[in-house]
Amino acid sequence: MADLDKSKVAEKLDVFNPYDQTYLGSVSTVMWDDIDEYLTTSQQLFKDRQQWLPAFERINILKKTAVLISKRADELALLIASEGGKPLVDARVEVTRAIDGVELCAKEIANLKGTQIPMDLTQAGAGRIAFTTKEPIGVVVAVSAFNHPLNLIVHQVAPAIAAGCPVLVKPAGDTPLSCKVFVDILHEAGLPPQWCRFVMCETATSERMITDPRVAFFSFIGSAKIGWMLRSKLAPGTRCALEHGGVAPVIIEKSADIAAMIPSLLKGGFYHSGQVCVSVQRIFAPRAKAKAIAQMLADGAAKLIVGNAIDESTECGPLIRPKEVDRVEAWVDEAVSAGATLLTGGKRLGETTYAPTVLLEPPVDAKVSNMEIFGPVVCVYGYDDINQAIAQANALEFAFQASVFTKNLDIAMKAISELEATAVMVNDHSAFRVDWMPFAGRKHSGYNTGGIAYTMHDMSQDKMAVIKL
């Protein structure tokens, strides 16, 4: 109840640059009474079909939204870098992806359609015509993570708008400013405010909103511990999609072009300082080559520039909070004490910065080997047989994306077949993604499938008409 009591007196949340704690701005917080009103209004919108936004209006709103984001691209990239610590060069890419995502939503509306169902396949169904149509699922609540503060919001909110669902969105407390701008842009583009509400609130209030029976669909991007806990508390009938982290494996086969793959692995491992759910974390290499590969990665990692994300030269920004540096430091120290060879990094550079780190042969029971580190740390392991490498890659309860580097087609197909992952990249790092592909975790790493079209499908429901002639 303490957290709930706080929400009654909270008025604003201040936001700071994680690198140097520069004040960036603030957002208003809301109390349960406000959220209760939002949910009631949203439910009424959904129940009254006369208030539904027709497809052409949703298309026009989303197209205008994409244009407005384009006009503010530089401002948004700087905001992403400032509040989330993502290097400016990567923040610009995130804005481009956000624009593409909104445009994809507008285009995908044309595919929200039903099908004819043949009825005379048996005598019992003869003399009937049947077809399905698509309807919005109802009120959507979206809760997001900090690491892509604009594009994650786009992937949760824009599909809801495209599918015709009222949506309430709660961003991460560390990075609410990008979300607030996006919601404001939607309203500027013509979306009535009651169709999309920005909700910044305390944790207990947020949980009360998520588990309210008026919520038809819950979209969550964040930690597995919290996501699965919230799923267990959803009201009966509430559908959901959960996107958690992985401990991404990469298998290097003996025929791989090692020199060519090093830049890809460096990007996949140290992009956003490893704060990516499919970041390269565990690399399995032939034992005779493992040390050399690890050293090449270490040499590259040592040259990466760590600093304030808003500086053009920065390649690795800060971790989101000081306690995350404490955790990464503790995990690396544990691995080294247990026998891992530290090839580069292994030290904090500031309150929220940690040096890009490469470890060789950490024990399989070390935290860096079996838990998502969400920091700038890459581990390399030697293997004697590729079946052993695949078995070790699959040994965890987390499974998201994986990759294999090889010139051998048989090995590539073996990895695609046998690796436990929703996507296996061949000759590319595990963090590759485009916004129209399915994106999902298996086992503890998630539930249901992300990606624009897939999310729109989840936020829609089929209705069938059967007409007896």
Side-chain angles (χ1 to χ4, degrees), residues 142-298:
V143 176
S144 203
F146 76 87
N147 53 333
H148 308 291
L150 177 61
N151 201 41
L152 292 183
I153 299 297
V154 166
H155 271 258
Q156 294 173 286
V157 172
I161 301 304
C165 298
V167 56
L168 285 69
V169 55
K170 180 194 176 296
D174 296 297
T175 56
L177 300 178
S178 298
C179 176
K180 181 65 167 60
V181 171
F182 179 66
V183 173
D184 289 345
I185 287 175
L186 281 171
H187 297 163
E188 183 183 350
L191 182 71
Q194 63 267 31
W195 281 91
C196 183
R197 302 284 195 179
F198 172 87
V199 177
M200 196 69 246
C201 59
E202 290 284 344
T203 299
T205 308
S206 175
E207 183 175 326
R208 188 173 177 183
M209 171 178 65
I210 292 162
T211 56
D212 190 280
R214 288 167 288 186
V215 177
F217 192 87
F218 171 49
S219 171
F220 179 80
I221 301 175
S223 76
K225 179 181 178 181
I226 294 174
W228 291 109
M229 178 274 292
L230 289 171
R231 179 175 178 262
S232 73
K233 295 184 177 183
L234 294 179
T238 302
R239 274 47 174 175
C240 71
L242 310 176
E243 183 182 309
H244 307 317
V247 191
V250 175
I251 294 179
I252 299 170
E253 194 261 338
K254 62 183 180 181
S255 68
D257 186 337
I258 294 174
M261 75 185 179
I262 294 299
S264 177
L265 291 176
L266 287 170
K267 186 66 178 179
F270 298 108
Y271 165 68
H272 201 1
S273 294
Q275 297 171 114
V276 180
C277 57
V278 285
S279 179
V280 171
Q281 184 170 330
R282 299 178 295 152
I283 299 175
F284 302 96
R287 193 168 303 280
K289 299 181 177 182
K291 185 174 182 180
I293 290 170
Q295 190 60 57
M296 292 174 72
L297 288 168

Side-chain angles (χ1 to χ4, degrees), residues 18-19 85 87 269-275 301-308 314-337 340-359 368 373-379:
Y19 179 77
F270 298 108
Y271 165 68
H272 201 1
S273 294
Q275 297 171 114
K303 296 175 183 176
L304 295 173
I305 299 171
V306 181
N308 195 335
T314 295
E315 296 170 288
C316 289
L319 300 188
I320 195 64
R321 302 177 211 96
K323 70 177 184 180
E324 298 305 315
V325 179
D326 296 339
R327 178 184 56 79
V328 170
E329 182 179 48
W331 288 17
V332 171
D333 289 348
E334 174 202 58
V336 172
S337 296
T341 301
L342 176 65
L343 297 180
T344 191
K347 59 183 179 181
R348 64 168 67 228
L349 303 177
E351 187 178 13
T352 54
T353 49
Y354 193 82
T357 298
V358 176
L359 297 174
V368 297
I373 195 161
F374 224 60
V377 179
V378 169
C379 304

